[in-house]
């Protein structure tokens, strides 16, 4: 895959945006539009968008044909007026260790990355909004597959960016998935929203039926099995059902939070021959970090239980001993089964409370006051010194302040 050689011309802001293929309906996308001048008249966003991109090279080197991409991403996606983007996940970053984070910096975002050390290409990258505190950042690179994963504490998210090349062996992919599984297991007792995104290069999976075609070799079939088992064992869903490169679904979004997603779209972008995937959420994630308290979970509810640590064998045996026919006979026959459905829910909940431990409740995360600019602090410190007025008149530098 060869990156575009030249930066595309800016489109007319009055022109219509390119069409998109959307899971929930047609929509337009501002990817090719120039940012609006200034922020005057821009209303506060009522929703957030998450972006997933195969970058096909994001190198900022002066000789690179991709040096225009990071400024373009900043202007049209992350820092577009009126937008609310908690994070952007990119695969195939093609970065190397000698490229510093400052060279790929985007204002108001900090970068987390895993570069492929031993070969060209590859790499995974996350841009996370600087109002969100990240912790426990872990990376994986075996020279073939790469991933970077972190916890975003204020909003209780776990976010990962993944790259699996088309020729990856089952052994390499299995190592990376074991690393991700270990990370999730370490945070299992916490209430977290999970987003695992990236280019998995598994086009033969039918995400509607959760099956795959065994036509691309043993390693590919084994990787499909491994990924589907990973989703099943962690109660996750893959929400991208429209093509991300031609008709193939290569770039995936795996999550346990489908209730808060209102739209998933795949739109053409000049950044890559893959489409840009946008996940639109039903609320403003960045706005919620300012005022929302930690999510309170009712003690006796399914959401309060750590289903992953349940004694499944005992739960299965006890549910098998229940006389469901007798329970049904106690329900009225004139409510179309509503009473019986509620009785089933309460019975299963009671058994789950017996055989499942409670989740750990999230702790209140008070936001730290942002640090002031160092030059402002220096000037303030200088004004407090006795010789400051003398220095102003004589234009001499003040003596070094003691730390």
């Amino acid at each position: 895959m060869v990156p575009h050689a030249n930066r595309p011309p800016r489109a007319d802001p009055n022109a219509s945006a390119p069409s998109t293929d959307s899971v929930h309906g047609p929509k337009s996308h501002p990817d090719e539009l120039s940012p609006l001048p200034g922020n005057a008249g821009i209303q506060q966003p009522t929703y957030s968008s998450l972006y997933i991109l195969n970058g096909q090279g994001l190198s900022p080197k002066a000789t690179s044909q991709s040096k225009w991409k990071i400024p373009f991403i900043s202007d049209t996606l992350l820092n577009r007026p009126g937008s609310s983007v908690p994070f952007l996940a990119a695969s195939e970053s093609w970065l190397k260790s000698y490229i510093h984070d400052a060279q790929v910096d985007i204002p108001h975002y900090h970068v987390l990355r895993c570069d492929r050390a031993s070969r060209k290409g590859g790499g995974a990258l996350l841009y996370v909004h600087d109002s969100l505190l990240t912790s426990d950042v872990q990376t994986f690179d075996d020279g073939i597959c790469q991933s970077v994963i972190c916890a975003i504490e204020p909003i209780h998210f776990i976010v990962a960016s993944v790259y699996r090349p088309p020729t990856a062996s089952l052994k390499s992919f299995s190592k990376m998935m074991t690393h991700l599984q270990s990370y999730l297991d370490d945070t299992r007792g916490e209430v977290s929203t999970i987003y695992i995104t990236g280019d998995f290069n598994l086009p033969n999976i039918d995400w509607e039926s959760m099956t795959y075609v065994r036509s691309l070799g043993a390693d590919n079939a084994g990787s499909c099995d491994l990924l589907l088992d990973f989703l099943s064992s962690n109660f996750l869903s893959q929400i991208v059902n429209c093509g991300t490169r031609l008709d193939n679904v290569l770039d995936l979004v795996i999550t346990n939070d489908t209730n808060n997603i209102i739209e998933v779209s795949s739109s053409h972008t000049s950044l890559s021959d893959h489409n840009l995937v946008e996940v639109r959420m039903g609320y403003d994630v960045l706005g919620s970090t300012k005022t929302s308290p930690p999510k309170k979970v009712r003690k006796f509810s399914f959401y309060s239980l750590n289903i992953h640590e349940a004694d499944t064998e005992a739960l299965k045996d006890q549910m098998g001993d229940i006389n469901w026919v007798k329970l049904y006979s106690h329900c009225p026959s004139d409510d179309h089964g509503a009473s019986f459905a509620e009785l089933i829910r309460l019975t299963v909940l009671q058994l789950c409370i017996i055989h499942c431990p409670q989740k750990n409740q999230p702790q209140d995360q008070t936001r730290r006051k942002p640090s002031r600019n160092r030059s402002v602090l220096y000037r303030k410190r200088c004004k407090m010194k006795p010789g400051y007025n003398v220095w102003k008149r004589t234009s001499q530098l003040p003596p070094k302040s003691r730390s």
Side-chain angles (χ1 to χ4, degrees):
M1 292 179 287
V2 181
H4 294 271
N6 298 313
R7 179 173 179 168
R10 296 284 182 136
D12 183 0
N14 296 320
S16 59
S19 62
T20 62
D21 299 321
S22 174
V23 172
H24 300 278
K27 67 184 284 294
S28 59
H29 195 279
D31 176 38
E32 306 296 337
L33 299 181
S34 300
L36 298 175
N39 293 328
I42 300 297
Q43 295 182 350
Q44 291 297 322
T46 57
Y47 63 88
S48 287
S49 293
L50 316 177
Y51 291 107
I52 293 84
L53 170 71
N54 181 303
Q56 289 187 336
L58 299 174
S59 175
K61 294 191 299 183
T63 56
S64 171
Q65 295 177 339
S66 305
K67 62 184 179 182
W68 59 272
K69 290 187 178 182
I70 290 179
F72 187 70
I73 290 171
S74 175
D75 292 346
T76 61
L77 296 178
L78 299 185
N79 289 311
R80 182 167 48 87
S83 64
S84 171
V85 184
F87 70 86
L88 177 145
S91 55
E92 286 204 81
S93 55
W94 297 3
L95 301 178
K96 292 298 181 183
S97 58
Y98 56 79
I99 297 177
H100 297 285
D101 287 351
Q103 295 177 264
V104 292
D105 177 67
I106 288 180
H108 311 299
Y109 287 81
H110 53 272
V111 61
L112 309 173
R113 45 188 269 213
C114 178
D115 307 332
R116 181 185 284 174
S118 58
R119 295 166 50 199
K120 291 183 178 179
L125 178 146
L126 284 170
Y127 281 108
V128 183
H129 197 274
D130 59 11
S131 68
L132 303 175
L133 178 65
T134 58
S135 64
D136 196 15
V137 180
Q138 296 185 18
T139 60
F140 173 87
D141 173 34
D142 66 348
I144 302 174
C145 296
Q146 292 80 44
S147 70
V148 54
I149 186 169
C150 71
I152 305 178
E153 294 185 0
I155 54 177
H156 308 293
F157 274 28
I158 293 176
V159 177
S161 178
V162 169
Y163 178 63
R164 174 195 175 273
T167 57
S169 65
L170 175 59
K171 181 180 179 181
S172 173
F173 186 56
S174 178
K175 286 181 180 178
M176 183 178 68
M177 297 307 293
T178 300
H179 172 76
L180 295 177
Q181 183 66 63
S182 176
Y183 191 100
L184 296 182
D185 289 341
D186 290 341
T187 58
R188 187 69 75 192
E190 302 175 8
V191 181
S192 297
T193 298
I194 299 171
Y195 281 96
I196 298 175
T197 69
D199 183 1
F200 285 79
N201 281 301
L202 294 172
N204 51 328
I205 297 181
D206 181 355
W207 292 106
E208 294 287 347
S209 62
M210 298 294 285
T211 59
Y212 63 93
V213 180
R214 298 176 179 270
S215 60
L216 299 179
D219 278 345
N220 185 275
S223 297
C224 293
D225 268 330
L226 183 62
L227 182 59
L228 293 175
D229 288 344
F230 176 81
L231 267 66
S232 177
S233 61
N234 291 284
F235 303 98
L236 301 172
S237 302
Q238 200 288 118
I239 59 175
V240 181
N241 290 315
C242 45
T244 63
R245 186 174 187 270
L246 301 179
D247 293 329
N248 299 317
V249 183
L250 305 182
D251 305 276
L252 309 181
V253 178
I254 298 169
T255 183
N256 61 349
D257 190 35
T258 55
N259 290 336
N260 285 318
I261 295 171
I262 59 175
E263 186 177 37
V264 180
S265 62
S266 172
S267 58
H268 171 74
T269 175
S270 55
L271 293 163
S272 169
D273 64 359
H274 288 236
N275 286 358
L276 176 72
V277 177
E278 179 185 358
V279 178
R280 181 173 292 187
M281 307 187 71
Y283 65 103
D284 179 13
V285 176
L286 298 182
S288 68
T289 62
K290 299 175 184 178
T291 58
S292 296
K295 184 185 294 184
K296 299 296 183 182
V297 180
R298 288 185 299 154
K299 186 175 181 181
F300 298 106
S301 65
F302 284 109
Y303 197 76
S304 69
L305 301 175
N306 188 354
I307 304 294
H308 299 281
E309 301 295 336
D311 186 350
T312 54
E313 292 300 324
L315 185 60
K316 181 179 178 182
D317 292 341
Q318 198 162 352
M319 289 184 66
D321 294 337
I322 297 175
N323 189 337
W324 298 102
V325 176
K326 186 176 181 180
L327 287 179
Y328 180 74
S329 65
H330 294 294
C331 299
S333 57
D334 57 349
D335 62 353
H336 306 288
S339 298
F340 185 54
E342 178 64 12
L343 185 58
I344 292 175
R345 187 189 73 82
L346 293 175
T347 304
V348 174
L349 175 59
Q350 187 176 23
L351 295 180
C352 288
I353 290 173
I354 296 172
H355 298 290
C356 303
Q358 294 280 324
K359 290 178 181 176
N360 296 331
Q361 294 296 320
Q363 300 296 320
D364 189 5
Q365 299 286 341
T366 56
R367 300 185 71 201
R368 295 188 305 172
K369 185 178 180 180
S371 59
R372 297 181 63 183
N373 187 289
R374 295 177 68 90
S375 60
V376 174
L377 294 175
Y378 177 73
R379 289 197 300 271
K380 185 175 180 180
R381 194 162 59 240
C382 289
K383 289 181 180 180
M384 298 173 65
K385 289 184 172 294
Y388 178 73
N389 291 330
V390 177
W391 164 73
K392 274 188 71 174
R393 290 195 299 269
T394 59
S395 299
Q396 294 178 355
L397 289 175
K400 275 189 176 180
S401 61
R402 295 178 183 177
S403 57

